[in-house]
mmCIF file of all heavy atoms in Angstrom:
data_model
loop_
_atom_site.group_PDB
_atom_site.id
_atom_site.type_symbol
_atom_site.label_atom_id
_atom_site.label_comp_id
_atom_site.label_asym_id
_atom_site.label_seq_id
_atom_site.Cartn_x
_atom_site.Cartn_y
_atom_site.Cartn_z
ATOM 1 N N LEU A 146 -18.325 28.275 10.713
ATOM 2 C CA LEU A 146 -18.636 29.558 11.358
ATOM 3 C C LEU A 146 -18.250 30.741 10.466
ATOM 4 O O LEU A 146 -19.025 31.684 10.284
ATOM 5 C CB LEU A 146 -17.853 29.617 12.677
ATOM 6 C CG LEU A 146 -18.450 30.390 13.832
ATOM 7 C CD1 LEU A 146 -19.823 29.847 14.176
ATOM 8 C CD2 LEU A 146 -17.543 30.296 15.039
ATOM 9 N N VAL A 147 -17.053 30.690 9.901
ATOM 10 C CA VAL A 147 -16.584 31.790 9.040
ATOM 11 C C VAL A 147 -17.432 31.871 7.771
ATOM 12 O O VAL A 147 -17.749 32.967 7.301
ATOM 13 C CB VAL A 147 -15.085 31.617 8.709
ATOM 14 C CG1 VAL A 147 -14.649 32.579 7.624
ATOM 15 C CG2 VAL A 147 -14.247 31.876 9.947
ATOM 16 N N SER A 148 -17.810 30.702 7.242
ATOM 17 C CA SER A 148 -18.660 30.707 6.038
ATOM 18 C C SER A 148 -19.984 31.389 6.324
ATOM 19 O O SER A 148 -20.457 32.208 5.526
ATOM 20 C CB SER A 148 -18.929 29.276 5.569
ATOM 21 O OG SER A 148 -17.722 28.635 5.310
ATOM 22 N N ILE A 149 -20.571 31.062 7.476
ATOM 23 C CA ILE A 149 -21.845 31.694 7.846
ATOM 24 C C ILE A 149 -21.625 33.199 8.027
ATOM 25 O O ILE A 149 -22.397 34.019 7.543
ATOM 26 C CB ILE A 149 -22.411 31.066 9.134
ATOM 27 C CG1 ILE A 149 -22.770 29.597 8.900
ATOM 28 C CG2 ILE A 149 -23.639 31.827 9.620
ATOM 29 C CD1 ILE A 149 -23.044 28.824 10.169
ATOM 30 N N PHE A 150 -20.542 33.542 8.712
ATOM 31 C CA PHE A 150 -20.214 34.944 9.000
ATOM 32 C C PHE A 150 -20.052 35.739 7.710
ATOM 33 O O PHE A 150 -20.510 36.884 7.601
ATOM 34 C CB PHE A 150 -18.934 34.992 9.823
ATOM 35 C CG PHE A 150 -18.541 36.366 10.272
ATOM 36 C CD1 PHE A 150 -19.154 36.950 11.367
ATOM 37 C CD2 PHE A 150 -17.557 37.070 9.603
ATOM 38 C CE1 PHE A 150 -18.787 38.212 11.781
ATOM 39 C CE2 PHE A 150 -17.188 38.335 10.012
ATOM 40 C CZ PHE A 150 -17.803 38.909 11.104
ATOM 41 N N ASN A 151 -19.408 35.135 6.717
ATOM 42 C CA ASN A 151 -19.162 35.834 5.449
ATOM 43 C C ASN A 151 -20.368 35.811 4.521
ATOM 44 O O ASN A 151 -20.578 36.725 3.743
ATOM 45 C CB ASN A 151 -17.965 35.214 4.725
ATOM 46 C CG ASN A 151 -16.651 35.634 5.357
ATOM 47 O OD1 ASN A 151 -16.557 36.706 5.930
ATOM 48 N ND2 ASN A 151 -15.656 34.775 5.279
ATOM 49 N N LEU A 152 -21.127 34.724 4.612
ATOM 50 C CA LEU A 152 -22.235 34.529 3.667
ATOM 51 C C LEU A 152 -23.468 35.343 4.051
ATOM 52 O O LEU A 152 -24.144 35.901 3.190
ATOM 53 C CB LEU A 152 -22.578 33.030 3.616
ATOM 54 C CG LEU A 152 -23.287 32.552 2.372
ATOM 55 C CD1 LEU A 152 -22.382 32.698 1.162
ATOM 56 C CD2 LEU A 152 -23.709 31.101 2.527
ATOM 57 N N ALA A 153 -23.721 35.403 5.364
ATOM 58 C CA ALA A 153 -24.960 36.035 5.811
ATOM 59 C C ALA A 153 -25.113 37.478 5.329
ATOM 60 O O ALA A 153 -26.184 37.840 4.821
ATOM 61 C CB ALA A 153 -25.062 35.938 7.324
ATOM 62 N N PRO A 154 -24.082 38.349 5.436
ATOM 63 C CA PRO A 154 -24.267 39.719 4.939
ATOM 64 C C PRO A 154 -24.519 39.764 3.431
ATOM 65 O O PRO A 154 -25.216 40.658 2.949
ATOM 66 C CB PRO A 154 -22.934 40.404 5.272
ATOM 67 C CG PRO A 154 -22.314 39.574 6.317
ATOM 68 C CD PRO A 154 -22.760 38.176 6.036
ATOM 69 N N MET A 155 -23.945 38.809 2.702
ATOM 70 C CA MET A 155 -24.152 38.790 1.242
ATOM 71 C C MET A 155 -25.609 38.523 0.897
ATOM 72 O O MET A 155 -26.076 38.863 -0.169
ATOM 73 C CB MET A 155 -23.296 37.696 0.606
ATOM 74 C CG MET A 155 -21.841 38.049 0.499
ATOM 75 S SD MET A 155 -21.001 36.711 -0.324
ATOM 76 C CE MET A 155 -19.383 36.880 0.319
ATOM 77 N N LEU A 156 -26.321 37.863 1.798
ATOM 78 C CA LEU A 156 -27.725 37.560 1.552
ATOM 79 C C LEU A 156 -28.631 38.736 1.896
ATOM 80 O O LEU A 156 -29.845 38.633 1.888
ATOM 81 C CB LEU A 156 -28.149 36.323 2.351
ATOM 82 C CG LEU A 156 -27.396 35.034 2.001
ATOM 83 C CD1 LEU A 156 -27.777 33.925 2.963
ATOM 84 C CD2 LEU A 156 -27.695 34.607 0.571
ATOM 85 N N GLY A 157 -27.989 39.879 2.247
ATOM 86 C CA GLY A 157 -28.773 41.079 2.505
ATOM 87 C C GLY A 157 -29.123 41.258 3.965
ATOM 88 O O GLY A 157 -29.949 42.096 4.317
ATOM 89 N N ASP A 158 -28.496 40.473 4.833
ATOM 90 C CA ASP A 158 -28.791 40.610 6.256
ATOM 91 C C ASP A 158 -27.865 41.657 6.863
ATOM 92 O O ASP A 158 -26.817 41.958 6.320
ATOM 93 C CB ASP A 158 -28.528 39.279 6.967
ATOM 94 C CG ASP A 158 -29.297 38.163 6.306
ATOM 95 O OD1 ASP A 158 -30.431 38.412 5.909
ATOM 96 O OD2 ASP A 158 -28.739 37.062 6.189
ATOM 97 N N ASN A 159 -28.260 42.145 8.022
ATOM 98 C CA ASN A 159 -27.327 43.028 8.715
ATOM 99 C C ASN A 159 -26.466 42.221 9.682
ATOM 100 O O ASN A 159 -26.668 41.035 9.868
ATOM 101 C CB ASN A 159 -28.086 44.149 9.443
ATOM 102 C CG ASN A 159 -29.058 43.593 10.455
ATOM 103 O OD1 ASN A 159 -28.787 42.595 11.096
ATOM 104 N ND2 ASN A 159 -30.205 44.238 10.569
#
Side-chain angles (χ1 to χ4, degrees):
Chain A
L146 211 57
V147 169
S148 302
I149 295 167
F150 184 80
N151 284 331
L152 202 65
M155 284 183 207
L156 299 173
D158 305 321
N159 59 36

